[in-house]
Amino acid sequence: MRGRYVDASSMYKRGASRDYINAYDEEGSSVHFLNGKDIGNPPWRRSLPHVLVATLSSFLAGYHLGVINETLEGISLDLGFSGNTLAEGLVVSTCLGGAFAGSLFSGWIVDGVGRRRAFQFCALPMIIGASMSATTKSLWGMLLGRLFVGTGMGLGPSVAALYVAEVSPAFVRGTFGSFPQIATCLGLMGALFIGLPAKEIVGWWRICFWVSAIPAALLAVSMEFCAESPHWLFKRGRGIEAEAEFEKILGGLHVKSAMAELSMSDRGDETDTIKFSELFYGRHFKVVFIGSTLFALQQLSGINAVFYFSSTVFKSFGIPSDIANISVGIANLLGSLIAMILMDKLGRKVLLLGSFSGMALSMGLQVIAANSFSSGSGALYLSVGGMLLSVLTFALGAGPVPGLLLSEIFPGQIRAKAMAVCMAVHWVMNFFVGLFFLRLLEQIGAVVLYTIFAAFCLLAVFFVKTNVLETKGKSLQEIEIALLPPE
């Protein structure tokens, strides 16, 4: 069934859509008209519950990244691989391999079954993997459980970025787009606090894994009551259902204008014919290149070296690991909250520029701290201060913006597959930075390594300044028309 808006899509040709776009004001806030009267922005409260449910997937990703921090010692003792650094490293990194695999297939899953079902596909391996990890008696059972969890982690963030962008009103899309990053921070901190008793209570680590099954089950069940993405429905030729979902998340007054916007770029009677290879040449290459490069630079900034090895740095100055993790978690959460407030006021591009510039400065502080002329309390303040500044400035832009920005700049026809490619780049770079950081630190020294990270941060500033389009307040269709060259 195609629905009346699918049949009416021919009324809104790309050439005529410029007149419709002029109905948006100078600041980029959506202005809709009904019988010549301004009806303002849609009520953001309608879409908020759907966004909050979607961010459970990001909370789970953060939780499973952090759950090993306090529990690894207990796991290695109980499962008989204590002192085996290779086995311990595999327990930490196996989920990253699973995340890479999950992200590769996320585009086909999201396009094939829709956003809501994709979230449920994300929750299922997390429930299975957490249960396997909680009940295992061997290292292999733990690794298999972590692999299952990783596939859900790889699928969840890309689906969350797509879903939040597609169900949020344009004027709060930046604010809502910050929620997944905040949820990830809360997941990391939740894993830390739940894991604190693990060193005193034998077998507590099993409770830590069981706990994660609760939000995963809540995600799977709650998605049954959430709206499907109208963009996906319209692209599948289900116009009447798309209209109903718009009414659910925007209100009845805004359905007509939302469907008119959607028909500017999407065609409800077309099937998804974009092949994977077509993302790397022709008219789609530029946006995919921007997205992949942003995620690569995000990881090459050295942020995950800070996240993974901050405890080691703090410990070298006699600071307990739990205090180190709490400090990093608070800095991350604080930056994410500030980003949420500023995202729709300053815009995505400004936050990215400020974030990468701040990270370059923080890496400079690390270089000074690592030099021989800096010692004692001076080195402590510079190193720890630089590390916390790096986390704070990362959370202000480089953390939350790329996922949101890419879900905005990718055309609807390639959005899911292009996000899959970029998230795969993210997980690969994440894995290699974590794998080689300590070895490079040993081989070339802290001064050279942190200088390299600072150089990548400055390169990111130049790249953002020359390639990134500001998307604040613009509809997804307006962004697509501005970025995508004509066929």
Side-chain angles (χ1 to χ4, degrees):
M1 184 181 296
R2 293 171 58 191
R4 67 175 182 268
Y5 284 103
V6 175
D7 295 329
S9 63
S10 60
M11 294 169 58
Y12 302 94
K13 299 298 184 184
R14 200 175 276 271
S17 65
R18 298 289 180 185
D19 297 330
Y20 188 84
I21 292 171
N22 289 334
Y24 292 82
D25 64 15
E26 295 291 332
E27 296 296 322
S29 297
S30 298
V31 178
H32 300 287
F33 296 89
L34 185 64
N35 297 326
K37 294 182 179 180
D38 175 11
I39 59 174
N41 290 312
W44 55 266
R45 290 179 181 84
R46 281 182 167 267
S47 54
L48 179 61
H50 308 276
V51 170
L52 291 177
V53 171
T55 57
L56 281 173
S57 63
S58 299
F59 175 88
L60 285 162
Y63 186 93
H64 283 292
L65 282 173
V67 73
I68 292 297
N69 286 354
E70 295 294 328
T71 60
L72 185 58
E73 184 180 337
I75 293 170
S76 62
L77 286 171
D78 283 2
L79 300 185
F81 59 90
S82 181
N84 185 338
T85 55
L86 176 61
E88 290 176 353
L90 284 172
V91 171
V92 173
S93 61
T94 297
C95 69
L96 297 179
F100 171 70
S103 64
L104 277 182
F105 292 102
S106 64
W108 285 268
I109 294 172
V110 172
D111 272 342
V113 302
R115 289 22 170 178
R116 290 171 61 239
R117 291 288 175 259
F119 277 117
Q120 293 173 325
F121 275 112
C122 158
L124 184 60
M126 285 189 166
I127 295 171
I128 294 172
S131 303
M132 292 177 68
S133 296
T135 57
T136 186
K137 302 293 184 183
S138 68
L139 171 62
W140 290 108
M142 174 59 68
L143 294 179
L144 188 59
R146 294 288 285 166
L147 187 66
F148 267 94
V149 163
T151 59
M153 286 171 55
L155 177 58
S158 59
V159 184
L162 289 174
Y163 185 79
V164 171
E166 292 176 346
V167 303
S168 302
F171 76 105
V172 292
R173 194 168 57 238
T175 300
F176 284 2
S178 302
F179 286 8
Q181 174 72 12
I182 294 172
T184 302
C185 298
L186 293 174
L188 284 163
M189 295 181 72
L192 167 66
F193 285 113
I194 292 173
L196 287 177
K199 292 178 181 177
E200 285 77 35
I201 303 175
V202 176
W204 182 260
W205 61 269
R206 296 185 186 274
I207 301 297
C208 296
F209 283 104
W210 276 124
V211 165
S212 69
I214 298 172
L218 184 62
L219 172 64
V221 173
S222 299
M223 265 298 149
E224 281 296 314
F225 305 97
C226 288
E228 180 55 271
S229 164
H231 295 254
W232 180 77
L233 289 169
F234 191 83
K235 187 171 68 172
R236 307 294 286 190
R238 295 157 64 177
I240 291 178
E241 293 174 61
E243 179 185 351
E245 298 303 283
F246 267 135
E247 184 169 1
K248 188 185 295 184
I249 60 177
L250 300 179
L253 288 177
H254 298 269
V255 172
K256 186 175 181 179
S257 58
M259 292 298 293
E261 283 181 30
L262 196 56
S263 63
M264 290 182 195
S265 53
D266 287 337
R267 293 296 184 85
D269 56 351
E270 290 178 358
T271 58
D272 187 12
T273 57
I274 294 293
K275 297 178 181 178
F276 184 79
S277 59
E278 292 180 57
L279 301 179
F280 303 102
Y281 64 85
R283 63 202 298 259
H284 298 299
F285 172 76
K286 181 181 178 181
V287 288
V288 176
F289 171 75
I290 291 172
S292 300
T293 305
L294 265 182
F295 268 125
L297 290 170
Q298 178 199 64
Q299 296 303 307
L300 291 170
S301 69
I303 186 60
N304 277 316
V306 174
F307 279 131
Y308 294 153
F309 304 109
S310 58
S311 297
T312 305
V313 174
F314 278 87
K315 198 172 182 180
S316 68
F317 290 109
I319 301 173
S321 63
D322 55 345
I323 295 178
N325 290 330
I326 290 172
S327 300
V328 169
I330 291 173
N332 197 9
L333 181 59
L334 178 62
S336 300
L337 290 172
I338 295 172
M340 178 187 71
I341 296 169
L342 298 178
M343 192 77 73
D344 284 311
K345 294 181 179 179
L346 297 182
R348 288 54 152 163
K349 188 170 183 176
V350 171
L351 288 183
L352 277 178
L353 290 171
S355 177
F356 281 119
S357 298
M359 292 176 73
L361 174 62
S362 69
M363 290 300 169
L365 294 179
Q366 299 276 36
V367 170
I368 296 171
N371 272 295
S372 57
F373 61 80
S374 178
S375 60
S377 60
L380 166 64
Y381 294 135
L382 285 170
S383 184
V384 173
M387 188 170 293
L388 294 179
L389 178 63
S390 180
V391 173
L392 177 69
T393 52
F394 170 81
L396 282 172
V401 171
L404 168 65
L405 182 70
L406 302 193
S407 62
E408 292 177 321
I409 67 173
F410 290 146
Q413 196 177 20
I414 67 164
R415 191 172 291 140
K417 289 186 175 68
M419 281 295 294
V421 171
C422 294
M423 289 305 299
V425 170
H426 164 85
W427 289 114
V428 168
M429 300 305 296
N430 187 333
F431 175 79
F432 281 111
V433 169
L435 181 66
F436 291 117
F437 174 74
L438 286 179
R439 184 167 181 82
L440 287 172
L441 191 62
E442 193 177 83
Q443 295 289 324
I444 65 177
V447 173
V448 176
L449 184 55
Y450 284 120
T451 300
I452 292 172
F453 286 148
F456 276 117
C457 291
L458 293 175
L459 177 62
V461 171
F462 175 77
F463 180 81
V464 170
K465 196 170 184 63
T466 55
N467 291 280
V468 171
L469 172 77
E470 182 53 67
T471 59
K472 178 186 69 170
K474 296 180 174 67
S475 72
L476 297 180
Q477 286 66 44
E478 185 179 354
I479 296 166
E480 179 174 339
I481 292 168
L483 273 177
L484 198 63
E487 294 183 277

